[in-house]
Amino acid sequence: MAWLEALFGLKCPGCGKSLDSSGLCQDCRAQLEWQQAYGILFLGSYQRWGGLSRSIKYGGKRDVADLIAQEWAKGIAYHRWRLAGVTAVPTLPHRQIRRGYNQAELLGRALAKAAGVPYQNVLSRVRYAPSQTQRTGVSKASLPAGTFVPRQKVSGAWLLVDDVITSGTTFRLARKALLEAGAGQVYGACIAVKSSKALQDLS
């Protein structure tokens, strides 16, 4: 309810201005546009769209996730990706318990619904590492090789969702596990990327 959000003085997670519509302000909605590089859909830089990621990661903003998913679905339709399903980069159980959800899964389920394809939790995370937001430099590229493992077999093309691509290491390891699960091809989707080099390294 946009009038209720305005009444309580809630701010747009995209730009910090007062909300004049549900989830995102009208200006941010107008700028919301999918991009694609190296088989990965994204909205733009973390500097511009990082607030959307934080609103979902720490606030569980499902209305924002739905808006993002609708934009990604346009990219899927444009490129005519024939997907067998959508899955998400898993988080560790204690993080999911603390928040009550996995933000990547929240986005993935919203995308599956928007694109009309099944959602499944195909991967498990079995190795601990500090959050990427708490890591810098070389440490971001040093996740253990067995961080993710398949929990079931799949086939066909799959789309792997994460909220942000920072160094690309997390996505790369999750993609490897999804291929080990049997996926013939893995596309990706994220809200924002922190550097163009991270995308290039995923090619």
Side-chain angles (χ1 to χ4, degrees):
M1 297 181 185
W3 67 269
L4 191 58
E5 292 172 323
L7 178 66
F8 284 99
L10 299 182
K11 303 298 183 181
C12 173
C15 64
K17 297 178 182 177
S18 296
L19 274 174
D20 55 6
S21 61
S22 180
L24 290 177
C25 72
Q26 291 292 342
D27 286 345
C28 284
R29 283 171 176 255
Q31 295 174 42
L32 208 64
E33 187 173 4
W34 66 269
Q35 302 178 49
Q36 188 272 142
Y38 309 107
I40 296 173
L41 296 168
F42 62 104
L43 299 180
S45 71
Y46 186 81
Q47 183 178 6
R48 173 64 185 92
W49 295 113
L52 273 61
S53 171
R54 293 188 293 273
S55 74
I56 296 169
K57 187 172 186 176
Y58 303 114
K61 296 287 291 180
R62 296 177 185 273
D63 50 355
V64 176
D66 287 341
L67 289 170
I68 294 166
Q70 289 163 18
E71 197 61 35
W72 285 340
K74 295 177 187 177
I76 292 170
Y78 178 86
H79 289 290
R80 298 182 180 180
W81 292 345
R82 299 175 65 88
L83 301 176
V86 174
T87 193
V89 173
T91 190
L92 285 163
H94 74 272
R95 291 179 183 159
Q96 183 153 347
I97 291 170
R98 186 174 67 243
R99 293 189 184 125
Y101 56 88
N102 170 14
Q103 68 275 8
E105 181 181 341
L106 192 155
L107 285 160
R109 288 187 180 278
L111 174 57
K113 182 178 180 180
V117 297
Y119 178 89
Q120 293 183 51
N121 285 319
V122 179
L123 307 176
S124 293
R125 183 165 187 163
V126 296
R127 301 288 295 274
Y128 172 80
S131 170
Q132 287 285 70
T133 58
Q134 301 172 12
R135 311 173 83 202
T136 58
V138 175
S139 67
K140 288 183 178 178
S142 59
L143 285 175
T147 296
F148 304 103
V149 296
R151 56 196 294 181
Q152 65 184 73
K153 289 293 186 180
V154 297
S155 61
W158 281 74
L159 193 142
L160 177 64
V161 176
D162 204 356
D163 58 339
V164 174
I165 289 179
T166 303
S167 68
T169 302
T170 300
F171 187 91
R172 186 181 304 108
L173 291 175
R175 179 176 64 185
K176 181 176 182 291
L178 189 52
L179 290 168
E180 290 171 353
Q185 187 167 6
V186 178
Y187 300 107
C190 68
I191 299 171
V193 295
K194 287 201 171 181
S195 74
S196 57
K197 184 179 183 304
L199 281 180
Q200 293 169 4
D201 289 346
L202 291 172
S203 63

